[in-house]
Amino acid sequence: MKSIDIIFPKNNEEEFISIAKALGTKELIFVYTQKEYKEYHSKEIKIKTAVVVIPKEALNAQKKYPLLVIKADQETDLWVIEHIKNVILYGFELQDRRDFMHHRNSGINHIVAKQIKEKGIVYGFPISILFHAPADMQATLLGRLRQSINILRKYKVDIILASFSSDPMDMRNGKDVWGLA
């Protein structure tokens, strides 16, 4: 469990860095759109940069950028897993699915988890969504998160629980975030 946070800065990178230092975060991944993309460096914290893309743009974007962030989409999930490299995939739990009677339908099953592991994809879960979701939806999201983590750990998939926020005040300590899981 590394202390990594994934964030979407809006020209407030220094604010993120100062809060990350206070929280004990060792690494930040700044995620930009393709138009806003820029390399960013800091002496205090390790920083990586990435680009958020939709699945249609992923093939071209993977040639230009070192790391991609893609939100899961039921129609294109398997295609992304099979064809895209150097990607952080997130959002399976956020899709509109009916839950089962005895467990949540997180969207990740053993087949998807195996493929994610084989392709070297990192799975991310946006914690800030939990804080901003209505109370009844929070329970569903937590259940789906737990379901996903159980399956992904079984197949030894790399998991990042991060804020995925554009507001520095939504950042959390990594140990507190993993306490949710």
Side-chain angles (χ1 to χ4, degrees):
M1 169 181 67
K2 291 183 189 176
S3 183
I4 298 174
D5 205 351
I6 299 171
I7 51 179
F8 294 82
K10 303 285 186 230
N11 293 324
N12 55 352
E13 288 89 349
E14 290 302 320
E15 270 185 83
F16 278 111
I17 291 171
S18 66
I19 291 177
K21 278 178 40 181
L23 292 173
T25 303
K26 304 290 183 214
E27 183 178 334
L28 292 175
I29 300 175
F30 288 152
V31 182
Y32 301 99
T33 62
Q34 290 186 58
K35 292 177 185 174
E36 298 170 339
Y37 181 78
K38 60 185 173 188
E39 292 289 327
Y40 201 90
H41 302 285
S42 172
K43 294 178 182 176
E44 295 129 1
I45 291 179
K46 183 178 178 182
I47 295 185
K48 291 183 181 178
T49 54
V51 173
V52 62
V53 294
I54 59 174
K56 290 179 187 176
E57 301 168 346
L59 276 177
N60 291 332
Q62 79 176 356
K63 296 172 188 171
K64 298 177 187 175
Y65 305 105
L67 181 63
L68 301 179
V69 175
I70 300 175
K71 185 175 181 181
D73 175 10
Q74 284 179 327
E75 296 174 9
T76 58
D77 289 341
L78 294 176
W79 181 86
V80 168
I81 292 169
E82 290 176 10
H83 294 92
I84 308 301
K85 296 180 180 166
N86 296 326
V87 65
I88 297 173
L89 190 60
Y90 77 99
F92 277 91
E93 295 84 5
L94 306 174
Q95 295 174 357
D96 189 26
R97 301 174 185 270
R98 286 194 60 188
D99 290 328
F100 302 115
M101 184 177 287
H102 296 290
H103 68 278
R104 299 286 183 193
N105 185 2
S106 67
I108 295 181
N109 55 33
H110 66 285
I111 296 166
V112 172
K114 250 187 203 177
Q115 287 180 327
I116 288 174
K117 177 63 178 173
E118 287 172 6
K119 300 298 181 177
I121 293 173
V122 176
Y123 186 76
F125 184 83
I127 295 300
S128 63
I129 289 175
L130 282 175
F131 302 128
H132 299 294
D136 59 330
M137 189 61 181
Q138 286 178 349
T140 301
L141 288 173
L142 276 172
R144 289 179 178 178
L145 167 66
R146 189 71 210 152
Q147 183 77 17
S148 294
I149 287 176
N150 285 340
I151 294 170
L152 294 171
R153 278 187 176 165
K154 180 177 178 180
Y155 291 94
K156 296 178 175 69
V157 173
D158 292 329
I159 303 169
I160 297 176
L161 295 180
S163 67
F164 282 74
S165 174
S166 58
D167 181 8
M169 291 298 135
D170 280 346
M171 292 177 72
R172 298 291 186 264
N173 182 314
K175 291 179 182 175
D176 292 340
V177 169
W178 276 99
L180 288 172

